[in-house]
Every structure is written in structure tokens, then in C-alpha cells.
Amino acid sequence: SGGERSPCLFQFHQDGFLVLENFFTPEECDSMRKQIQGIVAEMEVPPHCRTEFSTKEKEQLQAQGSSDYFLTSGDKIRFFFEKGVLDEKGNFLIPKEKSISKIGHALHAYDPVFKQITHSSKVQELGRKLGLERPVVVQSMYIFKQPGIGGEVTPHQDATFLHTEPLGRVLGFWIALEDATLENGCLWFIPGSHTSGITRRMVRAASGASTCVEFVGSEPAYEDSQFIPLPISKGGLILIHGEVVHKSELNSSESSRHVFTFHVMEAKNTSWSKENWLQPTPELPFPSLYT
């Protein structure tokens, strides 16, 4: 309720992010990691990854296949790979469990372990503390940040990809399943950068275009000195305002940095952009966070 805005929520509104250490137990983290191991063990390489990269035409088919695979992943559990892990025939050059970049975007809906975590009483209670009245879950991802090859994530705002009218209705829940350190690619934020709107949007391209999405506007050049790092221990949660600028560096360490993350939208008096790549489907309307 409005009366009990705690100091930490004040911090969230001021910075655009909030670190909550030990939000989940080590056991909860391990159960997610174990569940994902099983999912990866069963994984078939998606057909679009198997296209041989020979002719220009085949490359276009490959790109189209990749984009369709991505665009239609909102209500499925799908696999996305790091660059350079497949040979030209689509075979793995390294063990498949080391090659995967992320799994998205509906673990929260279709996997019992991730569903339980997403709708856990702790998360629901936090939603209520934040004053969310009709929160819905729009997407989720398991991110691996593989040792040595886990790519950097350039500075961005989540609302670039998940646009709402009005802005300020999207919130990321980012859960460290292993310690996130300076060495293995923890998040970096520009405190207070969530107050001046967004400069870039990713929108669905017109049908028949060569790419499935395009960017409107551009990302300004940010100074490295503006960012502060947020290392966090296993089980910690970082709340991420939809417009705060954040990034992560390449993982050049020997250890992975597994994360489960999901995005919530306050659906009350909010419209979800029809131009977003991610759209609710008849099979999966955005589920309510509160159960």
C-alpha cells in the first residue's frame, strides 16, 4: 500500500534499479540450474541453425529462419546460441551445453520450476510492495553468459524492446543463479538514467522486409564513467526499471554467470505496443503475476 513505501523502494525510484541480496535460497537457484540442464540435454538443434552457410541465398534463408524462430518464440521454449559455436553444417564445435547463449521466452509459462519461481509468494509480495495492481508476465529468459565466450550486452534500455504507452510500466526481475562478478560479466547501470524516456525502439518490420525487426532512433553514446557495476551473490535479485540504461561486459573468466530473468508489465491503464516483436498469443495471453 502507498503508506508503507520502504527506504529501498525510494532507492529504486531514485536509481532505476534495486539490489536485493539473498532473495532466493541457494537451493532454489540449484533447482533452476538442474532444471535447465535437463532442458539442454533434451535440446535438438533448431533447423534454422543447421542451414549451411554457403550461398548468399542460403544466408538469407538462414537469417529469415533465425528471425522467424526468434519472432515466434514468445510463447515457446527456444534456444539461442553464441556466435561461432557451429560449423558450416550446423554441428557443434564445442559441447552443446557450453554453446548456448540463452533460452526464451516462455519458461515462466511452460516449465514447472520456472513457473513456480516466477509466481513465488516472495515475488508476488515484492510486486505488491512496488504498488503493482495488475502485473502480468510478458517474457522470461535463462541466460548462460558462458565462460570465455559469453558476449557483451551493449548499453540499452529494456523499453527499447518492450514498449508500452505510457512508459514506466515494465520491470525486469534479474536473478543471479551463480555469483555475478566483475570478472564474469555482472550488470552495470547508469543511476537515475530511467527518467528521460527512450531514444530507440525495436519494432516489427513491414511484412516482406529482409529483416523481421528494425530500429527506430538511435542509442546515444554513453561514457564508461557513467556506469557503476553491481556485482551480486548467488540468489540475489536485481530489479530493473524499464528505462534504466544498463549493460554487461564480455565474460572473459573461467566461470559462467547463469541468470533467470523475467519482465513484468503493470497492465492497469497500459497498452502494449502492437509494434513490439513480442506479442501475446491466443495460446499464451500474458499471465497474471498474482495467482
Side-chain angles (χ1 to χ4, degrees):
S1 64
E4 45 180 337
R5 283 288 154 103
S6 59
C8 68
L9 296 186
F10 171 76
Q11 201 66 48
F12 175 69
H13 292 294
Q14 189 168 300
D15 292 337
F17 58 83
L18 180 64
V19 176
L20 299 169
E21 288 279 9
N22 305 313
F23 192 83
F24 288 98
T25 63
E27 293 71 31
E28 287 170 316
C29 294
D30 294 343
S31 73
M32 288 186 264
R33 291 200 59 188
K34 186 165 176 239
Q35 190 70 352
I36 221 74
Q37 273 178 337
I39 290 172
V40 172
E42 303 281 288
M43 161 183 87
E44 291 296 320
V45 183
H48 75 88
C49 294
R50 287 223 171 263
T51 327
E52 292 189 29
F53 298 71
S54 46
T55 65
K56 264 285 169 347
E57 194 179 341
K58 278 192 178 162
E59 271 175 39
Q60 282 169 347
L61 285 172
Q62 168 100 18
Q64 190 53 51
S66 299
S67 64
D68 290 345
Y69 185 79
F70 167 72
L71 267 192
T72 55
S73 66
D75 61 352
K76 301 182 187 64
I77 294 176
R78 289 198 161 164
F79 306 94
F80 302 90
F81 299 91
E82 289 291 357
K83 289 190 181 72
V85 298
L86 296 164
D87 66 15
E88 65 277 7
K89 293 195 171 64
N91 299 313
F92 286 108
L93 295 165
I94 57 175
K96 67 177 181 179
E97 66 278 2
K98 291 259 194 297
S99 67
I100 189 158
S101 159
K102 59 188 188 196
I103 298 179
H105 286 90
L107 285 162
H108 63 280
Y110 296 128
D111 180 90
V113 171
F114 292 98
K115 186 175 192 172
Q116 197 274 316
I117 290 285
T118 303
H119 297 276
S120 59
S121 53
K122 287 186 268 209
V123 169
Q124 295 191 24
E125 198 180 313
L126 183 53
R128 293 200 167 91
K129 271 193 188 143
L130 288 159
L132 300 176
E133 291 184 57
R134 279 184 36 217
V136 295
V137 187
V138 297
Q139 68 153 7
S140 57
M141 278 187 297
Y142 191 104
I143 303 169
F144 293 80
K145 200 77 163 177
Q146 301 282 3
I149 60 168
E152 68 168 332
V153 178
T154 55
H156 68 284
Q157 299 167 292
D158 292 343
T160 284
F161 308 97
L162 309 172
H163 192 267
T164 58
E165 307 252 324
L167 283 170
R169 300 304 175 89
V170 169
L171 183 60
F173 290 70
W174 192 95
I175 305 158
L177 305 185
E178 305 178 274
D179 294 350
T181 64
L182 286 169
E183 293 72 39
N184 73 3
C186 69
L187 294 180
W188 294 68
F189 287 82
I190 302 181
S193 57
H194 60 302
T195 55
S196 32
I198 58 170
T199 56
R200 186 172 69 127
R201 282 187 62 185
M202 184 172 95
V203 298
R204 283 182 172 242
S207 55
S210 57
T211 56
C212 61
V213 293
E214 55 198 13
F215 285 97
V216 180
S218 61
E219 207 62 60
Y222 300 107
E223 293 296 319
D224 282 346
S225 60
Q226 295 176 272
F227 288 89
I228 62 162
L230 292 191
I232 187 167
S233 305
K234 174 178 175 172
L237 168 72
I238 302 180
L239 276 181
I240 304 176
H241 187 286
E243 281 106 84
V244 74
V245 178
H246 58 289
K247 66 173 183 176
S248 67
E249 304 292 339
L250 173 80
N251 179 2
S252 50
S253 79
E254 301 288 297
S255 53
S256 56
R257 190 221 67 188
H258 287 206
V259 163
F260 177 57
T261 178
F262 58 92
H263 282 89
V264 165
M265 170 180 72
E266 169 62 270
K268 188 182 177 182
N269 303 331
T270 308
S271 65
W272 180 256
S273 172
K274 291 268 181 278
E275 295 185 300
N276 285 338
W277 75 266
L278 174 76
Q279 293 297 326
T281 62
E283 295 74 34
L284 183 63
F286 293 151
S288 169
L289 181 67
Y290 301 150
T291 43

